[in-house]
Amino acid sequence: ELGCNAQFLDWMLSRLNIEPAQLIQVEHSVFTVNGESDLILTYLSGNETHAILIEDKIGANFTKDQDKNYRFRGELGISEGRWHSFTTALIAPAMYINSSENAAFDHKIKFEEIDQFFAEVEQSTRVVYRRMLLAKAIAKKQKPSSTRVFSESNTEFFREFRKLANEKFPELPFKEEVSRTPTNYWVIFNFRSLPGNFCIELKAQSGVVDLRC
């Protein structure tokens, strides 16, 4: 939506205390060796490129040092010459943000704020659809969460798997390893060098590797 709706982009930039600017690129699910950025927006201000790194949450817990890792990736982008400065943002339902006071993001935007923006613009079919998605996400967070059962042995296996892979193949874009359920055997690689949304799925339980788009 940010890439095709100039009015929404201007609203988002103003919410982040950024003057209207020229959008360069919107990247989704960008992986590095220390984790994933859900969205990265790069924009041009004057003659300089700047970035917004966004974590999009509905109900999942933060992974270890997730907020710090966003800052690391922002600093990495500066050192690599991808942008001159950056800011980080958490976007989530109000209930999530209200319970995440210690999350060290530069900005926090509630789904309800975004919904209010869409409520005040012309009600096209696209806008109605966006508001429906927001309503579902907000309602999902409001539901009592079910208890998930995690497997210590499965988690430890993939933690060691990731450690070994990072040593042997440091260029692989691994997601940060989190607690796994007993049936979670997949490893997904999203390569920025591949066109579109191609990714490689390693399905350890069946010994299958898929190339998917």
Side-chain angles (χ1 to χ4, degrees), residues 66-182:
Q66 192 167 20
D67 50 354
K68 296 177 183 177
N69 288 336
Y70 266 83
R71 300 210 64 80
F72 174 86
R73 293 191 287 273
E75 296 290 351
L76 182 64
I78 293 177
S79 67
E80 293 177 342
R82 296 187 61 201
W83 47 71
H84 290 80
S85 70
F86 71 93
T87 190
T88 63
L90 170 65
I91 300 181
M95 287 183 64
Y96 195 103
I97 288 188
N98 292 340
S99 63
S100 305
E101 295 181 357
N102 295 327
F105 289 87
D106 296 324
H107 303 274
K108 297 176 182 178
I109 301 176
K110 301 172 183 177
F111 281 7
E112 289 82 352
E113 295 178 69
I114 298 175
D115 180 64
Q116 185 59 38
F117 162 82
F118 284 118
E120 295 174 358
V121 301
E122 184 178 351
Q123 296 301 292
S124 64
T125 302
R126 184 185 186 89
V127 168
V128 171
Y129 176 68
R130 292 300 185 196
R131 295 195 67 195
M132 179 192 70
L133 293 179
L134 285 166
K136 285 185 176 181
I138 293 168
K140 182 176 181 180
K141 177 56 183 172
Q142 291 172 343
K143 292 180 180 178
S145 58
S146 57
T147 302
R148 298 182 68 190
V149 177
F150 295 104
S151 168
E152 183 176 346
S153 60
N154 198 34
T155 299
E156 183 61 24
F157 173 84
F158 280 98
R159 192 169 286 137
E160 290 299 315
F161 174 89
R162 179 180 185 273
K163 180 180 177 181
L164 178 62
N166 278 336
E167 292 174 356
K168 300 294 184 180
F169 309 101
E171 69 278 8
L172 288 177
F174 266 104
K175 292 183 68 174
E176 187 173 348
E177 192 60 55
V178 296
S179 296
R180 287 179 177 257
T181 63

Side-chain angles (χ1 to χ4, degrees), residues 27-39:
E27 299 175 272
H28 178 258
S29 296
V30 181
F31 290 90
T32 65
V33 292
N34 84 328
E36 174 191 11
S37 299
D38 288 337
L39 283 175

